[in-house]
């Protein structure tokens, strides 16, 4: 994927916005400052909005309630969680009424039950599957029970594999980190239901009826890679996990079409990045890549400088986005 230009706001060019939550709409208990207004403006422009999250801990109803409390109007049907995707994976592989050991929270237990399965917390011989999702109150006992059942041969499904998540304290371990505990103990890799796998975004597309969605997220390895998997446009925001250096170093299947400071970028135009030989120019900035070294010159909006730099690095397979020249260029932009 490569950076694209948009001479009209993205919320006018795309019929639906599929928004990640953590790091995009809110961080912990607080809204990203621009998010309430941005979601309202996108809807006013005619775009439908779905909140597509790898967080499996809370129910869609509770997430919608939390969003509304933060000033982002949402109904339960606007929320698509990885718990629903994970429960669907188990349902498709196990008989109705089967015992499923849930290593997770209320949202995951309820999703399992809605799929006609029986959520349990002890690794008895009747357990046919283990499904694991994020919980802020995850206990050692529950992880132990999950590992015991997986070791005995139970189907192992993870709602998502995010290693970290942003919250009010900083970047902390997320579901993927706890999944690796069971993997390390058992040697069994789970089936992953959430982003970047297809089920979550497919559900969001179905619910919005989107023909041309924009996928917005703060993670390259879930949101943007998921956009690539669907052939959909992806916008990376810098309000959560991903850093400018991450964007610069992104492999081909994780490169966004658009860069934005935050979710308000879905309601703005995006400047073109012009390629001229070894040069990439965006507004007042010019980046070059020669002999593997990156150089940045100019001034103006820092994000335009990052756009030019990314285009130069992505266009040259010999470029070293982790080397001294890249660090110097990012430092010139204040990163």
């Amino acid at each position: 994927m490569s950076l694209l230009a948009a001479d009209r706001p993205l919320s006018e060019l795309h019929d639906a916005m599929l928004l990640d939550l953590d790091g995009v709409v809110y961080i912990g208990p607080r809204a990203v400052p621009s998010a309430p207004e941005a979601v309202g403006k996108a809807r006013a422009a005619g775009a439908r909005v779905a909140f597509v999250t790898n967080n499996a801990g809370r129910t869609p109803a509770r997430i919608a309630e939390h969003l509304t409390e933060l000033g982002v109007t949402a109904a339960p049907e606007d929320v698509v969680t990885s718990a629903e995707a994970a429960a669907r994976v188990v349902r498709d592989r196990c008989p109705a009424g089967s015992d499923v050991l849930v290593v997770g929270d209320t949202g995951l237990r309820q999703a399992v039950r809605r799929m006609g399965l029986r959520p349990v917390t002890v690794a008895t011989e009747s357990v046919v599957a283990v499904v694991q999702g994020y919980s802020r109150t995850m206990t050692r006992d529950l992880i132990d029970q999950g590992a015991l059942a997986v070791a005995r041969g139970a189907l192992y499904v993870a709602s998502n594999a995010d290693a970290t998540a942003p919250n009010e304290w900083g970047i902390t371990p997320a579901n993927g980190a706890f999944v690796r505990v069971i993997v390390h103990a058992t040697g069994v890799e789970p089936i992953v239901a959430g982003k970047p796998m297809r089920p979550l975004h497919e559900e969001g597309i179905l619910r919005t009826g989107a023909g041309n969605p924009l996928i917005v997220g703060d993670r390259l390895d879930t949101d943007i890679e998921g956009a690539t998997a669907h052939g959909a446009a992806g916008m990376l925001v810098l309000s959560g996990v991903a850093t400018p250096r991450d964007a610069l170093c992104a492999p081909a299947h994780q490169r966004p079409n658009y860069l934005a400071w935050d979710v308000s970028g879905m309601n703005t135009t995006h400047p073109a990045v012009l390629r001229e030989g070894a040069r990439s120019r965006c507004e007042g900035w010019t980046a070059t890549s020669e002999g593997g070294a990156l150089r940045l010159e100019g001034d103006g909006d820092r994000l335009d400088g990052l756009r030019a730099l990314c285009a130069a690095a992505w266009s040259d397979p010999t470029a070293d986005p982790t080397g001294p020249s890249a660090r110097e260029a990012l430092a010139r932009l204040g990163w």
Side-chain angles (χ1 to χ4, degrees):
M1 301 180 80
S2 59
L3 292 172
L4 300 177
D7 58 4
R8 292 164 51 201
L10 298 180
S11 53
E12 296 180 8
L13 297 174
H14 297 270
D15 57 359
M17 309 286 110
L18 304 185
L19 307 182
D20 181 47
L21 286 174
D22 293 311
V24 176
V25 179
Y26 55 63
I27 297 176
R30 298 180 179 85
V32 171
S34 62
E37 180 182 3
V39 172
K41 286 184 69 172
R43 285 170 168 157
R48 297 178 290 281
V49 175
F51 304 98
V52 183
T53 176
N54 265 356
N55 189 327
R58 293 188 293 174
T59 65
R62 180 64 192 97
I63 293 172
E65 180 183 353
H66 179 50
L67 287 169
T68 301
E69 290 169 352
L70 296 178
V72 181
T73 303
E77 55 269 25
D78 297 328
V79 180
V80 186
T81 75
S82 63
E84 297 169 295
R88 186 163 53 246
V89 169
V90 176
R91 183 200 63 185
D92 291 345
R93 290 164 172 78
C94 300
S98 294
D99 284 356
V100 176
L101 199 157
V102 177
V103 182
D105 220 328
T106 303
L108 188 53
R109 288 194 296 272
Q110 289 190 8
V112 167
R113 187 175 290 111
R114 284 195 298 271
M115 290 294 175
L117 302 162
R118 181 172 177 260
V120 300
T121 56
V122 178
T124 63
E125 296 293 337
S126 64
V127 170
V128 300
V130 172
V131 61
Q132 183 171 1
Y134 180 71
S135 172
R136 290 285 291 273
T137 58
M138 184 72 72
T139 66
R140 168 65 187 268
D141 287 346
L142 197 51
I143 291 175
D144 286 350
Q145 293 300 312
L148 288 169
V150 171
R152 290 173 184 160
L155 174 72
Y156 185 24
V157 178
S159 64
N160 67 290
D162 294 12
T164 60
N167 62 30
E168 62 268 35
W169 306 296
I171 304 300
T172 58
N175 190 55
F178 293 101
V179 165
R180 300 319 297 175
V181 174
I182 292 182
V183 170
H184 189 64
T186 64
V188 177
E189 293 285 346
I191 299 170
V192 178
K195 297 177 285 185
M197 309 307 288
R198 296 181 65 90
L200 264 181
H201 284 143
E202 286 178 348
E203 180 65 19
I205 290 169
L206 285 171
R207 292 194 194 184
T208 57
N212 183 26
L214 176 70
I215 293 174
V216 180
D218 69 316
R219 299 186 69 104
L220 295 167
D221 59 347
T222 57
D223 304 304
I224 304 305
E225 186 172 336
T228 302
H230 280 82
M235 185 179 83
L236 179 71
V237 299
L238 300 177
S239 54
V241 168
T243 66
R245 183 182 178 186
D246 293 333
L248 186 62
C249 296
H253 64 291
Q254 294 180 0
R255 291 172 183 167
N257 296 116
Y258 303 102
L259 292 171
W261 293 111
D262 54 38
V263 70
S264 64
M266 66 183 176
N267 297 310
T268 65
T269 60
H270 289 253
V273 180
L274 303 177
R275 287 283 299 165
E276 301 167 347
R279 297 173 179 267
S280 295
R281 182 164 53 84
C282 185
E283 300 296 316
W285 295 95
T286 299
T288 59
S289 177
E290 294 179 334
L294 293 165
R295 187 172 72 252
L296 182 67
E297 299 174 333
D299 56 30
D301 189 318
R302 291 195 299 156
L303 198 58
D304 292 336
L306 181 60
R307 290 177 174 118
L309 195 59
C310 285
W314 296 352
S315 300
D316 181 0
T318 70
D320 181 5
T322 65
S325 64
R327 293 195 296 271
E328 182 179 341
L330 287 172
R332 178 165 186 170
L333 294 172
W335 288 303

